[in-house]
């Protein structure tokens, strides 16, 4: 009996040289986590691919789709697993081509990693191609630009035959590029920025600044929905929430109206960097796009950036809103981000925000209130939600001790997790 399996193809991982196995092993761990709801029998490496088998021997389109959403996967192919019997793999090729949908032209492309197999790739091409021409007499063979390519891959004592292949998200396996803290809102931009950095192998730790207690906590639940929408990628294990509304009110009373947003963001960056220190993260990530809103001009980005010593990654800096929204649809966060929810971004907004802030004016406004005490209070008030989605996420050791060190002035509450 011919089984159907999923062959996982990767691209960048294959270029990694001596540490390639590290990336492959991490991708295997991530796939095991992402496929927990499927009856997966095993995941193993074979000749530059990963092989995913299921208990009933028949891998489904749903399984292939779930695999395609895991970073590090370039393509996924539903393949028939056969022995070296020629009749068996020729029959599998007929099945594979028959399932390819509408087509006019095709070709056969054989690959062979088992050099002791008696047939050369050219012989396999002729053998399988002859059978397919008999079974599909109205179709034509095209060596260049065919509608469908039937792959026949000989590996050890097995033959994998497929024509159905789908594109994956590419990138690198989550957990191979270190940890980052991302500033996450319920809007379109920051979830896409988080996904893009996670796709490059980073383990993401989002921080959401809520308008609570001045607003409802709706945005917090939307952010949790966003994290769950990104679950197939396996990039998030914990989300921090910072109740920011009361501190925003204090800032709005202390600084000039035009500099409120810049001051909010300076505080947010400072708190995010403290959380990054707790987590051992090496960078911050934001969803800023150059010139999209008042706070995202070069002058304003500069005076906010001076608050932190960590690198600040901005993967969307050159993207426009339509591109960002299109990517949000692809990754499954668009519908969530389309919902209205009051959060810290809409709280105490100035009528005329400064678009080209002068450093001297920003520093004067900054010194008009006790910013150090405010940062300590906010760090001490952080809450978090854990998600069982990211095998590469490891909670910080001695969290409470580290938390006390970073917020020495206000570590009194026992209900902080």
């Amino acid at each position: 009996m011919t089984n159907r399996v999923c062959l996982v193809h990767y691209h960048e991982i294959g270029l990694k040289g001596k540490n390639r196995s590290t990336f492959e092993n991490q991708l295997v761990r991530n796939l095991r986590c992402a496929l927990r709801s499927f009856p997966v029998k095993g995941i193993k490496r074979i000749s530059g691919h990963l092989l995913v088998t299921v208990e009933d021997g028949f891998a489904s389109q749903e399984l292939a789709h779930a695999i395609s959403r895991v970073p590090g996967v370039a393509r996924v192919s539903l393949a028939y697993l056969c022995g070296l019997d020629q009749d068996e793999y020729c029959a599998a090729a007929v099945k594979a081509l028959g399932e390819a949908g509408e087509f006019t032209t095709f070709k056969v492309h054989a690959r062979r990693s088992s050099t002791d197999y008696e047939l050369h790739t050219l012989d396999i091409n002729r053998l399988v191609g002859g059978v397919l021409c008999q079974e599909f007499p109205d179709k034509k063979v095209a060596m260049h630009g065919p509608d469908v390519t039937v792959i026949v891959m000989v590996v050890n004592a097995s033959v994998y035959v497929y024509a159905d292949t789908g594109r994956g998200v590419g990138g690198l396996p989550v957990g191979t590029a270190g940890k980052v803290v991302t500033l996450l809102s319920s809007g379109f931009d920051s979830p896409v920025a988080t996904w893009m950095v996670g796709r490059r192998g980073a383990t993401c730790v989002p921080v959401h600044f809520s308008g609570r207690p001045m607003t409802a906590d709706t945005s917090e639940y939307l952010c949790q929905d966003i994290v769950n929408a990104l679950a197939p990628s396996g990039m998030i294990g914990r989300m921090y929430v910072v109740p920011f509304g009361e501190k925003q009110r204090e800032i709005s009373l202390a600084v000039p109206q035009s500099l409120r947003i810049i001051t909010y963001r300076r505080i947010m960056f400072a708190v995010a960097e403290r959380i990054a220190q707790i987590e051992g993260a090496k960078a911050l990530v934001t969803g800023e796009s150059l010139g999209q809103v008042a706070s995202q001009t070069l002058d304003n980005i500069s005076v906010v950036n001076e608050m932190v010593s960590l690198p600040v990654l901005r993967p969307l800096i050159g993207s426009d809103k339509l591109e960002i929204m299109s990517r949000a649809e692809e990754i499954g966060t668009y519908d969530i981000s389309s919902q209205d929810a009051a959060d810290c971004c809409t709280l105490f907004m100035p009528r005329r925000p400064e678009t080209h802030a002068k450093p001297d004016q920003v520093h004067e406004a900054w010194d008009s209130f006790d910013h150090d005490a405010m940062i300590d209070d906010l760090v001490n008030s952080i809450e978090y939600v854990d998600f069982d989605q990211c095998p590469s996420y490891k909670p910080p050791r001695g969290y409470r001790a580290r938390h006390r060190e970073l917020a020495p002035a206000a570590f009194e509450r026992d209900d902080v997790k």
Side-chain angles (χ1 to χ4, degrees), residues 115-132:
T115 55
D116 56 350
Y117 182 53
E118 58 189 19
L119 293 183
H120 190 273
T121 53
L122 294 178
D123 299 322
I124 298 172
N125 287 340
R126 283 192 289 267
L127 171 66
V128 176
V131 172
L132 293 178

Side-chain angles (χ1 to χ4, degrees), residues 2 80 82-97 108 117 119 123-132 135-136 150 152 159 161:
T2 302
Y80 289 102
C82 312
L84 295 176
D85 180 78
Q86 296 176 12
D87 292 337
E88 184 182 1
Y89 63 72
C90 284
V94 172
K95 283 185 183 179
L97 188 57
V108 178
Y117 182 53
L119 293 183
D123 299 322
I124 298 172
N125 287 340
R126 283 192 289 267
L127 171 66
V128 176
V131 172
L132 293 178
E135 293 292 331
F136 300 90
V150 177
V152 181
V159 180
V161 182

Side-chain angles (χ1 to χ4, degrees), residues 201-367:
T203 301
C204 298
V205 183
V207 178
H208 175 62
F209 287 84
S210 169
R212 179 159 51 93
M214 312 304 290
T215 68
D217 56 3
T218 309
S219 66
E220 300 172 33
Y221 290 103
L222 289 179
C223 285
Q224 291 187 44
D225 290 343
I226 287 170
V227 173
N228 287 323
L230 297 177
S233 64
M235 60 183 61
I236 297 174
R238 171 176 290 181
M239 180 181 77
Y240 288 91
V241 177
V242 183
F244 192 35
E246 182 60 37
K247 302 304 182 185
Q248 285 183 269
R249 188 186 68 82
E250 293 179 20
I251 292 171
S252 70
L253 296 174
V255 306
Q257 184 182 117
S258 62
L259 297 178
R260 284 180 191 173
I261 295 176
I262 292 172
T263 308
Y264 295 160
R265 292 193 66 78
R266 284 168 67 93
I267 290 288
M268 292 163 72
F269 270 47
V271 173
E273 184 173 53
R274 294 276 192 95
I275 294 173
Q277 292 170 353
I278 293 171
E279 286 282 347
K282 303 303 182 185
L284 304 183
V285 179
T286 76
E288 291 165 304
S289 171
L290 188 61
Q292 183 171 261
V293 295
S295 65
Q296 296 174 16
T297 64
L298 283 178
D299 289 326
N300 290 359
I301 287 174
S302 177
V303 294
V304 173
N305 242 30
E306 67 183 17
M307 287 303 303
V308 297
S309 58
L310 287 177
V312 181
L313 309 181
R314 296 177 171 90
L316 305 182
I317 196 68
S319 302
D320 63 32
K321 199 67 175 184
L322 292 178
E323 292 171 329
I324 295 168
M325 292 170 72
S326 176
R327 179 56 64 87
E329 287 190 277
E330 291 177 21
I331 66 177
T333 60
Y334 180 90
D335 289 340
I336 303 168
S337 297
S338 297
Q339 301 178 51
D340 291 329
D343 63 7
C344 71
C345 298
T346 59
L347 196 58
F348 303 114
M349 290 291 287
R351 284 193 296 264
R352 291 187 179 87
E354 179 63 66
T355 55
H356 299 286
K358 305 295 189 294
D360 290 345
Q361 295 175 353
V362 172
H363 297 159
E364 182 180 352
W366 185 248
D367 292 335

